Amino acid sequence: MGDNKPKYIEGVGWRYETVHSQKRRMKSHHYNEVGTYLVTVVVEGRKPVFGHIAGNIKASPTAPDYPVTVLSPLGENLLHEQLPKIHAVYPMVDVWRLCVMPDHLHIIIRINATLPPKKHLGTIIGAFKGGISRAWGGGTLFEDNYNDRILMRDGQLENWKAYLDANPYRWLVRHSRPELMQRALCLVINGVRYGAFGNFMLLRHPEKVQVFFHRKMVDDRLTPDIQGPQATTSIQGQATMSVWRQKIPTEQTLFWQKEHARLIEMAEQGDVMVTPGISECEKRIKNECLQQHHRIIHLQAEPIGSYWKPERSRFEACTAGSLLILAPWAEDLEGDTDYDRFHNLNTLAASICQLNVQAAMQITTG
């Protein structure tokens, strides 16, 4: 790799400069064929040319003052003039959802039949962007290219529709409470580089507790009938010991019951739980902390980029100031396989728990 510096690839992570595009397409997919796509296009320099967000972050989704995008003249042109051209030019293409934000757009596009020769999703998006740029009248308006996500899994489409509908709400929350929605692409903790999102002040808390459980452990629900030297001479005793030493899922053990109660009590007292939430028991503690807005630092393998945002449960925890999400750079995760590197997140969780207040203050104020 020589002296090449790693470059962040949205949705991929930090890679060296042999990977050239931030918005790579799925190589095995034919973008001229039937499919459903979530497309994101971003205004160059993030200029808020399409409007502004207005509303009340405390309003319910059905209330008239729930946050929405108030469109500018260019936003109105986009909606009423440019968007209908997609179906007019390509009758086999429908727009299923549009989310206009001040500085970017999300569109769910459905291609119902194979496109004409030499036409594909990129052709459609390029023409759409070109029309908006011409209406703007100031030259090229957008960043090069676009991001796309192919929607294939059951329930994925409805989840993304709901996500887009709530986008103005999330935008208003982030701008109303920026200290709880901080983002860093390179936060160095104990020599490891992280992408980060959420309340950075959680790193300063003096009481950070690692949540770590193996998937299985020795069954502790039974007590051997025979103890001491007799256990090695009694056939019945040996059988009992054999059963006693079998491993079962940790969530079925008495140890889990006691540890769960202990950790939740510590979380209720304000201690910060630190975990990647890999094993079933770790997931249960993580989810309970998110739901109850107990303080938690969550490590994830998915990289955090400039436009990355958490899903609803973690977003709401961020709005409560109770969550920090950390994503270590792939180059800083030890291990020869993805499996090893994923499980080494627990090693990083232990390191974060050892971070003292003074060192954390230098990290979060740098």
Side-chain angles (χ1 to χ4, degrees):
M1 294 182 185
D3 295 329
N4 285 352
K5 295 182 179 180
K7 177 181 179 182
Y8 185 80
I9 309 300
E10 187 73 30
V12 177
W14 289 94
R15 299 293 184 267
Y16 284 84
E17 292 182 337
T18 51
V19 178
H20 299 289
S21 174
Q22 184 180 351
K23 304 175 177 75
R24 299 184 304 173
R25 307 279 79 82
M26 183 182 288
K27 293 181 179 179
S28 60
H29 187 78
H30 299 287
Y31 283 86
N32 63 333
E33 297 181 351
V34 173
T36 307
Y37 307 91
L38 170 64
V39 174
T40 301
V41 293
V42 179
V43 174
E44 185 71 42
R46 287 281 188 165
K47 295 184 290 289
V49 296
F50 297 129
H52 66 276
I53 306 296
N56 181 0
I57 60 175
K58 295 183 179 180
S60 68
T62 57
D65 57 345
Y66 188 70
V68 295
T69 302
V70 179
L71 296 178
S72 67
L74 181 62
E76 293 285 355
N77 180 277
L78 180 162
L79 177 63
H80 299 296
E81 299 292 334
Q82 307 306 324
L83 193 68
K85 292 179 181 178
I86 293 178
H87 182 70
V89 176
Y90 300 97
M92 71 290 294
V93 177
D94 292 321
V95 175
W96 281 0
R97 208 56 140 226
L98 171 69
C99 175
V100 181
M101 300 298 288
D103 56 10
H104 66 282
L105 309 170
H106 300 289
I107 316 168
I108 296 180
I109 291 181
R110 173 66 182 177
I111 298 178
N112 297 304
T114 302
L115 293 172
K118 298 184 179 181
K119 304 297 181 181
H120 50 78
L121 180 64
T123 309
I124 298 170
I125 299 303
F128 177 62
K129 290 168 62 178
I132 300 171
S133 293
R134 287 189 294 273
W136 182 55
T140 302
L141 178 61
F142 295 98
E143 289 184 356
D144 292 340
N145 221 314
Y146 60 93
N147 288 310
D148 77 83
R149 181 187 295 268
I150 305 171
L151 305 183
M152 296 183 290
R153 300 192 304 273
D154 290 343
Q156 194 176 20
L157 175 61
E158 293 307 314
N159 285 338
W160 274 107
K161 285 181 178 179
Y163 181 87
L164 297 187
D165 289 345
N167 229 10
Y169 162 79
R170 286 191 296 271
W171 189 97
L172 199 58
V173 170
R174 289 200 308 274
H175 288 75
S176 299
R177 301 295 304 276
E179 75 279 8
L180 305 181
M181 299 286 177
Q182 288 183 283
R183 182 192 306 270
L185 300 184
C186 184
L187 194 70
V188 181
I189 304 173
N190 295 330
V192 177
R193 297 166 294 182
Y194 295 86
F197 186 97
N199 184 3
F200 288 17
M201 295 302 102
L202 295 181
L203 287 170
R204 296 186 181 187
H205 198 280
E207 298 294 339
K208 295 184 284 289
V209 181
Q210 183 180 11
V211 179
F212 173 60
F213 293 91
H214 291 288
R215 295 185 184 277
K216 291 187 176 183
M217 62 176 295
V218 171
D219 189 350
D220 61 355
R221 298 171 300 175
L222 302 175
T223 302
D225 294 335
I226 301 177
Q227 299 179 3
Q230 298 180 24
T232 61
T233 58
S234 168
I235 296 177
Q236 181 181 0
Q238 289 175 5
T240 303
M241 289 291 287
S242 175
V243 172
W244 183 63
R245 287 174 176 159
Q246 287 181 348
K247 287 190 174 183
I248 61 172
T250 301
E251 61 270 21
Q252 298 177 12
T253 64
L254 295 175
F255 172 79
W256 156 247
Q257 294 179 20
K258 295 176 182 178
E259 281 298 287
H260 171 262
R262 182 182 72 88
L263 290 169
I264 292 302
E265 181 179 6
M266 297 174 76
E268 290 173 344
Q269 293 173 352
D271 292 358
V272 178
M273 303 293 107
V274 183
T275 184
I278 297 173
S279 70
E280 176 62 26
C281 292
E282 293 168 14
K283 290 178 184 176
R284 293 186 183 189
I285 295 291
K286 180 200 74 174
N287 291 336
E288 191 166 344
C289 287
L290 290 176
Q291 292 168 4
Q292 300 300 321
H293 291 167
H294 299 321
R295 294 168 175 170
I296 181 170
I297 296 175
H298 180 216
L299 283 78
Q300 66 176 33
E302 179 188 0
I304 293 175
S306 299
Y307 308 139
W308 181 92
K309 294 185 289 290
E311 75 290 346
R312 180 175 179 178
S313 62
R314 291 195 294 172
F315 184 89
E316 291 178 348
C318 285
T319 67
S322 60
L323 175 64
L324 173 63
I325 304 168
L326 296 175
W329 288 19
E331 287 79 6
D332 290 356
L333 268 177
E334 297 180 359
D336 296 329
T337 66
D338 288 341
Y339 178 87
D340 290 338
R341 288 188 286 270
F342 182 65
H343 282 271
N344 278 338
L345 292 174
N346 270 311
T347 302
L348 297 181
S351 175
I352 289 168
C353 288
Q354 297 171 4
L355 185 69
N356 61 46
V357 175
Q358 184 177 7
M361 290 183 67
Q362 293 176 351
I363 291 170
T364 56
T365 58

